[in-house]
Amino acid sequence: GRPLLGAPGQGAGTWSRFTRLPYPQDQLFLHDTFPDGFLWGAGSAAYQTEGGWRQGGKGASVWDTFAHRPATPAGSAPPGPAGGDVASDSYNNLFRDAEGLRRLGVSHYRFSLSWARLLPNGTEPLNPAGLAHYHRLLGRLRELGIEPVVTLYHWDLPQGLQDAFGGWASPVLPQLFRDYAELCFRHFGGQVRYWLTMDNPYVVAWHGYSTGRLPPGVRGGPRLGYRAAHHLLQAHAKAWHLYNDHFRPTQRGKVSIALSSHWIKPQRMTEKNIKECQKSLDFVLGWFAKPIFIDGDYPESMRSNLSSLLPEFSEVEKKYIKGTADFFALSFGATLSFQLLDSHMKFQQLESISLRQLLYWISSEYNNPQIFIVENSWFVSGSTKRDDAKYIYYLKKFIMETLKAIRYDGVNVFGYTVWSLLDGFEWHRGYSIRRGLFYVDFQSHDKKLMPKSSVLFYQKLIEKNGFPPLPENQPIEGIFPCGFAWGIVDNYIQVDTTPAQFLDSSVYVWDVHQTKKLIKVDGVFTSKRKRHCVDFAAIRLQISLLQEMHVTHFHFSLKWSLILPLGNLSLINHTLVHYYQCFASELLRVNITPVVALWQPMAENQELPVSLAKYGAWENPETIQAFVEYAKFCFTNLGDHVKFWITMNEPSVKNLTYTAGHNLLKAHAKAWHLYDKEFRRSQKGKISIALQADWVEPACPFSRNDQEVADRILEFDVGWLAEPIFGNGDYPQVMRAWLHRRNSVDLYNFHLPYFSEDEKKLIQGSFDFFALSHYTTTLVGWEKEDALKYDHYLEVQMINDITWLHSPNRAAVVPWGLRKLLKWVKSKYGDVPIYVMANGIDDDQNMVHDKLRVYYIQNYINEALKAYTLDNVNLQGYFVYSFNDKTAPKYGLYSYVANQYEPKPSVKHYREIIDNNGFPGPETPELLCPEEIASCPECHFFRTRKSLLAFISFIFVAFVVTIFFITYYSKRVERRYK
């Protein structure tokens, strides 16, 4: 609900509130729009983009001086050799910038006036060229219907004022700033409705006059920093009152101050840590916000901690400063966060970038003000050119959080400003990063603006006024076809071959007098009885759990290394084979179809027999024949019970050499042909290979380069093994072309083997269905941004969409990726029957009520239904990964604690989906499957009322028994009296 009117300290409830929000619903992407009339804009600052530092009579600013210093003082960062002398050259390209704004479709443009361009020495006389420049800019904005949001002072104090008075350390500055503001209001006020007196006074005061990290570089310590801030507040108040008293009646504008903040979260949710977080925000944002928005004085935490360091306001000054803002102008992003926030101002808590929580805190703390976000974004590397995917996803995150703050939290936000319109000089980081929507080549002469992918993203967002719901984002109703396979996966079933007590032929005597134990009688034996499957208690338990889920199929892998320890038939583990036989037969007995993989690679020796792993594993061609012999053994001994075979389950292409993959494909094909020729007719089963296939999406959906990268990765990840089997019998042409290029240009030696024509014929078509495992979706781009996530071999940058829901292991939950993958398989390999053989997510013991997995299963299956219903994908089965936490920790639908299996809530949820065969709705036609048609229609009445029938039967039996006893005893009484 909407928060109550704020008060100092009331924001402290923010942290606990956000821990109580419903999970995962609150973290899901919100498909909604912003309120009508919401303001969308972009911004820039004079020193960062204007250049022209000696043109048109401009005077020097403290930044000009700082950038031109021959040596950088210790403790400060050099801004770069050129500083902002030229930067983006906006001074000479005013119409170029305006055209960029027109293309974006923004409603407002925030820019700053250069004090030193209008008043070269900081005071009169006025520079006509500077005045004319800003008149031209405002005139062009008016022609385009773009609202100017004008900052009077964005860090670039005239050097003359620093030299003459000591800058903001002097009490003279507030009056000089008032004079400068009056000039601006008088000359430009008729065209400006939104004024910002100054930007980020925290940075100006603290790093300009205390640490000296930024201009004017004065290392005066905390006392001077607090004094400079005192004067900045006084200057702001003077400018506001000047406008309020003399210009507001005619110009009808609004005046505020752009305050920057970080966000902080407690290391642990304790009352002490929350107080420290509150103090951190007081010392940075509250330092300026509380005097302006509450009571004209500094936060209590600052006054009690800083004592004599902090200047004091008189009662008259407090009244003068209080209320000097017509709205709350917020700056949040890469300038302050993780950069210019001093570590001691975190008070040993953790910095974060949650804009939503900050907005809620401001609303609670400062009387629910109208909030205008006047600067927000993140950054990309200085080497990134046009496809700025990282920037897009941070922008998406911040805008989404703003929307949630409005819709979920009742925060009053009326405008948003991307920083910045174009690449420029990024203060203490120089040109090492970029924050613009438009790319600028700083080495070029004409400094053309080139739109990045973020321009298209922001442009479409403005057009739609947010993220309106789309049909493809909505769940659908419907059901899957008759005979659809509903399954669960266990990598390896729990094997316990401990013999039951009934198989022990020894004779025992019970020592009832002394030890009270059974004592074995030596030399005395009973006759042995034949082994039975019921002797394996572990099987009964696992089957009962599977029955509880109502699955129709159960998928597990055999252990080649244990069945044939030496890799050949010279040593066979008959006990284990018998166990597998029993497990499969018991599954069939309860109408669960076993789906059995011959081999699945695991960490230790890839789950190969030691003798094979020791001598090259799949690199060794002899492993091919060993696998075929092993497959034949399994078909022979288990084929009567198994009708659904997987040759190889999820061979990891990340860990395969090209030679190993080559041999693996041949082994699969030979095993398939072996089954086809020798076993299929008698056993009537089907067989294929199961490939891991996560979806790969271009990070910039508008980028042809990113699309090429995504296509390439799909071919290397999936097509490598799929194309020879399901396609043309050979490797994807994309792979061959890419490897040829890499080997010739970069002197790599990655050889992709060639198949002979006979081998192509052998491999092509060696499938009965397409089995795939799918867990998540990955974003990829071509621009190198993060070296740790960049694959030099494939020239691909892995990107993270931070608006996606993530598991504890950071797996992205992207249901629509499954639908896209299924469509891709169909488009490449035709109308092949497809089984999703594994689909699941990890959890955490602290995850509340298994809610993430419930959401995951619900939405991934719904996307599978869309693929089947809307895209006509021949989908025939879906398997959840995984059965239990014992064999797949954190992935199980059953937890395993203290030797006990406990169903998680997702078991019930999956069971309901299975029982409904999907998501039937009121309009969904009833599906009469063959087995139901064969039975009598009248029986439906009885099948759906089993509990009632049982109760009636009980009453009937009780009635019959009662009548019997009454009759019986009545006759006995009659005989007695006779």
Side-chain angles (χ1 to χ4, degrees):
R2 199 168 183 80
L4 299 173
L5 294 182
Q10 198 165 321
T14 302
W15 292 276
S16 60
R17 177 188 185 272
F18 278 87
T19 62
R20 298 191 304 269
L21 295 178
Y23 178 85
Q25 288 76 15
D26 185 70
Q27 294 186 21
L28 299 178
F29 196 85
L30 174 59
H31 291 281
D32 200 351
T33 55
F34 284 79
D36 292 341
F38 192 82
L39 301 178
W40 295 104
S44 68
Y47 185 75
Q48 290 185 281
T49 59
E50 271 189 5
W53 79 287
R54 282 180 170 172
Q55 285 183 259
K58 176 186 175 294
S61 74
V62 292
W63 266 98
D64 291 320
T65 305
F66 192 74
H68 296 152
R69 287 183 179 182
T72 304
S76 64
D85 290 1
V86 179
S88 321
D89 202 22
S90 288
Y91 181 73
N92 296 303
N93 290 279
L94 182 152
F95 288 92
R96 174 204 69 180
D97 294 358
E99 177 59 22
L101 292 165
R102 186 198 63 77
R103 178 168 182 169
L104 284 169
V106 294
S107 55
H108 70 272
Y109 177 45
R110 179 193 170 192
F111 65 94
S112 72
L113 306 173
S114 169
W115 191 344
R117 191 175 294 284
L118 288 168
L119 299 173
N121 296 313
T123 59
E124 298 284 358
L126 174 65
N127 176 22
L131 189 68
H133 170 74
Y134 293 118
H135 270 305
R136 280 196 303 273
L137 175 56
L138 288 167
R140 182 58 181 150
L141 293 177
R142 184 174 64 252
E143 290 171 4
L144 295 173
I146 296 172
E147 188 83 54
V149 178
V150 181
T151 310
L152 294 173
Y153 167 62
H154 200 127
W155 305 10
D156 49 352
L157 184 74
Q159 184 63 40
L161 298 182
Q162 183 64 33
D163 293 340
F165 305 105
W168 291 108
S170 168
V172 175
L173 260 288
Q175 183 59 40
L176 296 177
F177 181 75
R178 181 198 178 281
D179 296 342
Y180 164 59
E182 183 175 7
L183 179 148
C184 296
F185 294 153
R186 189 183 330 117
H187 285 282
F188 308 127
Q191 301 175 70
V192 178
R193 283 201 309 152
Y194 293 100
W195 289 98
L196 300 172
T197 55
M198 55 187 66
D199 181 89
N200 203 339
Y202 164 83
V203 167
V204 175
W206 193 253
H207 292 302
Y209 294 88
S210 177
T211 68
R213 285 185 64 189
L214 298 179
V218 178
R219 302 174 68 195
R223 186 180 299 276
L224 190 63
Y226 291 124
R227 190 194 309 164
H230 204 68
H231 297 150
L232 284 162
L233 278 164
Q234 290 171 329
H236 158 77
K238 282 180 178 288
W240 187 89
H241 281 285
L242 168 70
Y243 189 87
N244 193 58
D245 296 343
H246 300 286
F247 294 95
R248 193 190 301 275
T250 56
Q251 296 179 0
R252 303 180 185 279
K254 296 182 177 182
V255 181
S256 189
I257 179 173
L259 300 180
S260 186
S261 184
H262 61 303
W263 182 247
I264 198 89
K265 62 182 182 181
Q267 294 214 30
R268 287 182 296 110
M269 282 295 293
T270 65
E271 188 175 341
K272 178 178 181 296
N273 285 347
I274 289 174
K275 284 182 178 179
E276 295 299 285
C277 288
Q278 184 80 0
K279 189 188 298 181
S280 175
L281 292 173
D282 280 346
F283 269 64
V284 179
L285 178 59
W287 185 3
F288 301 92
K290 182 174 174 288
I292 294 170
F293 289 93
I294 300 294
D295 60 5
D297 203 359
Y298 297 115
E300 177 59 33
S301 59
M302 291 186 75
R303 290 193 289 114
S304 60
N305 278 270
L306 298 174
S307 60
S308 61
L309 285 176
L310 197 64
E312 292 187 4
F313 290 116
S314 67
E315 290 303 315
V316 172
E317 286 176 320
K318 289 178 186 177
K319 290 179 182 178
Y320 190 72
I321 292 171
K322 176 185 175 182
T324 56
D326 301 322
F327 54 91
F328 197 113
L330 176 65
S331 168
F332 181 77
T335 302
L336 182 63
S337 297
F338 296 95
Q339 283 296 313
L340 293 175
L341 178 68
D342 271 15
S343 58
H344 73 273
M345 289 192 179
K346 299 177 189 178
F347 294 94
Q348 300 181 326
Q349 305 308 309
L350 304 173
E351 199 171 354
S352 173
I353 52 170
S354 176
L355 175 57
R356 179 185 172 189
Q357 293 186 48
L358 175 61
L359 289 169
Y360 184 83
W361 186 89
I362 290 170
S363 182
S364 301
E365 190 79 6
Y366 299 121
N367 217 24
N368 191 26
Q370 285 190 310
I371 300 174
F372 191 174
I373 298 171
V374 294
E375 175 184 345
N376 178 240
S377 75
W378 208 242
F379 63 90
V380 291
S381 163
S383 62
T384 299
K385 293 181 173 62
R386 304 288 293 278
D387 291 328
D388 53 343
K390 174 185 169 185
Y391 185 91
I392 287 175
Y393 290 111
Y394 271 95
L395 211 56
K396 185 180 173 187
K397 166 189 164 65
F398 291 136
I399 294 172
M400 170 53 54
E401 290 189 349
T402 303
L403 181 60
K404 286 183 177 180
I406 295 169
R407 297 300 186 197
Y408 290 169
D409 309 327
V411 179
N412 190 359
V413 185
F414 69 90
Y416 179 89
T417 313
V418 167
W419 201 268
S420 78
L421 173 64
L422 68 168
D423 290 334
F425 174 74
E426 290 300 333
W427 308 118
H428 62 296
R429 296 161 94 174
Y431 297 100
S432 65
I433 64 168
R434 293 176 181 268
R435 296 185 67 192
L437 293 165
F438 287 90
Y439 173 80
V440 176
D441 180 356
F442 297 112
Q443 305 304 316
S444 68
H445 175 70
D446 54 7
K447 303 289 190 298
K448 285 184 179 178
L449 291 193
M450 291 182 278
K452 303 180 189 178
S453 292
S454 53
V455 166
L456 295 172
F457 168 79
Y458 194 45
Q459 185 183 54
K460 289 182 180 298
L461 188 142
I462 293 171
E463 284 176 7
K464 297 175 180 178
N465 197 33
F467 310 99
L470 300 173
E472 58 264 33
N473 296 327
Q474 306 304 309
I476 66 166
E477 294 176 342
I479 54 177
F480 288 93
C482 291
F484 191 78
W486 291 104
I488 190 83
V489 187
D490 203 355
N491 287 339
Y492 296 102
I493 57 174
Q494 178 192 346
V495 175
D496 183 359
T497 57
T498 305
Q501 58 179 329
F502 306 110
L503 296 177
D504 191 352
S505 59
S506 302
V507 175
Y508 296 85
V509 174
W510 186 11
D511 183 2
V512 297
H513 299 295
Q514 296 181 10
T515 64
K516 310 291 184 183
K517 295 180 179 178
L518 291 173
I519 300 173
K520 186 176 181 180
V521 179
D522 293 333
V524 180
F525 302 96
T526 62
S527 59
K528 287 187 177 181
R529 75 164 178 82
K530 189 179 178 181
R531 288 175 178 266
H532 296 289
C533 289
V534 293
D535 295 329
F536 297 119
I539 292 179
R540 294 198 304 273
L541 173 60
Q542 291 177 81
I543 298 251
S544 68
L545 297 177
L546 292 169
Q547 285 181 282
E548 189 178 319
M549 239 183 301
H550 296 185
V551 293
T552 62
H553 290 64
F554 179 53
H555 174 31
F556 64 93
S557 299
L558 304 176
K559 287 202 169 189
W560 184 5
S561 62
L562 296 183
I563 293 174
L564 303 179
L566 300 181
N568 55 46
L569 300 179
S570 63
L571 180 62
I572 301 170
N573 187 337
H574 290 287
T575 304
L576 180 58
V577 173
H578 178 63
Y579 187 91
Y580 284 134
Q581 289 171 336
C582 286
F583 200 100
S585 65
E586 289 297 300
L587 284 171
L588 292 172
R589 188 178 61 81
V590 296
N591 294 320
I592 296 176
T593 301
V595 181
V596 180
L598 295 171
W599 174 73
Q600 177 168 348
M602 298 298 280
E604 188 176 358
N605 294 327
Q606 301 180 54
E607 199 44 55
L608 294 170
V610 176
S611 58
L612 296 176
K614 190 176 178 182
Y615 293 101
W618 287 108
E619 294 274 331
N620 188 344
E622 293 182 6
T623 305
I624 299 171
Q625 190 55 39
F627 180 77
V628 175
E629 291 177 3
Y630 162 63
K632 185 173 184 178
F633 175 82
C634 294
F635 297 152
T636 302
N637 288 275
L638 298 172
D640 289 341
H641 308 296
V642 179
K643 310 302 178 187
F644 201 140
W645 289 101
I646 301 293
T647 54
M648 293 139 177
N649 193 50
E650 296 186 26
S652 174
V653 295
K654 306 293 184 188
N655 300 318
L656 274 183
T657 64
Y658 294 128
T659 301
H662 201 68
N663 291 334
L664 188 145
L665 282 166
K666 289 192 279 188
H668 154 77
K670 289 188 174 186
W672 187 90
H673 283 284
L674 169 71
Y675 188 84
D676 191 53
K677 292 174 182 176
E678 299 185 23
F679 296 93
R680 189 189 298 276
R681 182 172 297 177
S682 60
Q683 297 181 359
K684 296 180 172 54
K686 52 188 175 182
I687 182 169
S688 196
I689 187 172
L691 305 176
Q692 180 164 340
D694 288 334
W695 181 242
V696 181
E697 183 80 1
C700 293
F702 320 107
S703 166
R704 184 178 300 173
N705 288 333
D706 281 8
Q707 184 62 61
E708 287 178 3
V709 170
D711 293 341
R712 180 163 69 245
I713 299 305
L714 278 170
E715 294 294 0
F716 271 82
D717 283 359
V718 184
W720 175 11
L721 300 180
E723 185 65 28
I725 298 171
F726 301 93
N728 61 13
D730 200 359
Y731 296 115
Q733 184 56 35
V734 169
M735 283 186 74
R736 288 216 182 273
W738 181 259
L739 292 173
H740 176 73
R741 180 197 149 195
R742 296 296 283 163
N743 292 340
S744 60
V745 174
D746 300 321
L747 302 179
Y748 283 95
N749 189 23
F750 295 111
H751 175 63
L752 188 62
Y754 286 86
F755 294 114
S756 68
E757 289 304 313
D758 287 341
E759 287 172 336
K760 289 180 183 178
K761 291 177 182 177
L762 177 79
I763 295 170
Q764 185 181 20
S766 58
F767 67 91
D768 295 333
F769 51 88
F770 195 116
L772 60 91
S773 300
H774 175 85
Y775 302 99
T776 188
T777 291
T778 305
L779 292 171
V780 296
W782 72 278
E783 293 257 26
K784 184 178 180 181
E785 177 65 35
D786 181 352
L788 295 176
K789 295 181 179 178
Y790 186 79
D791 185 330
H792 291 271
Y793 172 51
L794 292 175
E795 294 183 2
V796 56
Q797 177 70 61
M798 302 299 172
I799 304 288
N800 183 31
D801 184 341
I802 49 181
T803 66
W804 285 349
L805 192 62
H806 286 81
S807 74
N809 284 349
R810 303 304 300 159
V813 179
V814 192
W816 52 258
L818 175 58
R819 181 184 177 189
K820 286 198 171 188
L821 175 70
L822 294 172
K823 289 171 67 176
W824 181 84
V825 171
K826 179 184 177 183
S827 69
K828 279 193 67 76
Y829 305 118
D831 194 32
V832 57
I834 301 175
Y835 289 85
V836 177
M837 296 303 297
N839 179 236
I841 195 76
D842 61 285
D843 63 16
D844 191 305
Q845 289 183 351
N846 298 323
M847 298 301 263
V848 184
H849 304 309
D850 197 33
K851 289 183 178 179
L852 178 61
R853 182 172 288 104
V854 168
Y855 172 83
Y856 184 98
I857 291 173
Q858 170 85 13
N859 287 275
Y860 271 84
I861 295 177
N862 198 265
E863 291 296 322
L865 180 63
K866 291 177 187 177
Y868 167 72
T869 305
L870 305 178
D871 308 324
N872 296 313
V873 173
N874 188 4
L875 185 64
Q876 299 197 0
Y878 172 89
F879 292 66
V880 167
Y881 181 85
S882 164
F883 183 21
N884 62 74
D885 283 343
K886 184 176 183 181
T887 52
K890 296 185 178 182
Y891 283 86
L893 268 66
Y894 284 89
S895 61
Y896 185 76
V897 181
N899 296 323
Q900 293 289 323
Y901 291 98
E902 289 293 335
K904 301 177 185 178
S906 47
V907 169
K908 179 183 177 184
H909 190 73
Y910 187 38
R911 182 170 61 223
E912 289 174 355
I913 294 174
I914 294 172
D915 291 345
N916 290 319
N917 199 32
F919 308 95
E923 305 299 319
T924 305
E926 185 177 0
L927 183 67
L928 296 176
C929 293
E931 59 270 27
E932 293 185 1
I933 295 170
S935 60
C936 61
E938 296 80 11
C939 298
H940 179 73
F941 173 86
F942 299 102
R943 283 200 303 271
T944 56
R945 293 164 174 82
K946 290 179 180 178
S947 298
L948 177 62
L949 290 173
F951 178 74
I952 293 172
S953 300
F954 171 79
I955 295 298
F956 178 76
V957 170
F959 175 78
V960 170
V961 170
T962 303
I963 295 299
F964 171 80
F965 279 115
I966 291 172
T967 305
Y968 174 78
Y969 283 107
S970 296
K971 287 182 179 180
R972 287 191 62 180
V973 170
E974 287 176 8
R975 283 199 297 269
R976 185 180 301 169
Y977 282 104
K978 286 178 181 179

